[in-house]
Amino acid sequence: MKLVYTHENRLFVGNAHNLLTQAGIPAIWKNESTSSAIGEVAPISAWPELWVLEDADYDRASAIISNAFSASDSPAWVCSQCKEINEPAFEYCWNCQMEKPESAV
Ligand SMILES: [Zn+2]
């Protein structure tokens, strides 16, 4: 088993988990239940972690996640509604589900 992704925001980890599931790569969460309430910054030791069950899947999983989260050269975008910062791969705001604006920078 290998740690493939971690982030203080559990929704980012959930997004990564979905990507791996869609790709047929078995992965599990760790620390899922210990993350603090949204808005608080959890200590790094409590960040949710995404682990691939098979070491052989690690390279593929890592590539899928890095491709998705650093998609093209697009920068993170700021939600026009709630001002939260979103990963470029997100089509909707993780916080309020506002659609990503076409002109996001
Ligand atoms: Zn928002």
Side-chain angles (χ1 to χ4, degrees), residues 1-3 52-60:
M1 212 162 61
K2 279 194 170 187
L3 174 64
V52 289
L53 295 182
E54 304 295 335
D55 287 6
D57 286 332
Y58 175 81
D59 288 343
R60 198 158 71 95

Side-chain angles (χ1 to χ4, degrees), residues 9-25:
N9 187 330
R10 62 188 298 278
L11 293 169
F12 287 15
V13 181
N15 185 280
H17 190 203
N18 287 341
L19 292 170
L20 296 190
T21 302
Q22 285 164 15
I25 298 174

Side-chain angles (χ1 to χ4, degrees), residues 77-84 86 92-98:
W77 54 280
V78 178
C79 177
S80 59
Q81 182 162 281
C82 71
K83 309 303 180 195
E84 286 294 341
N86 289 273
Y92 296 90
C93 175
W94 62 265
N95 186 50
C96 72
Q97 282 74 55
M98 178 89 172

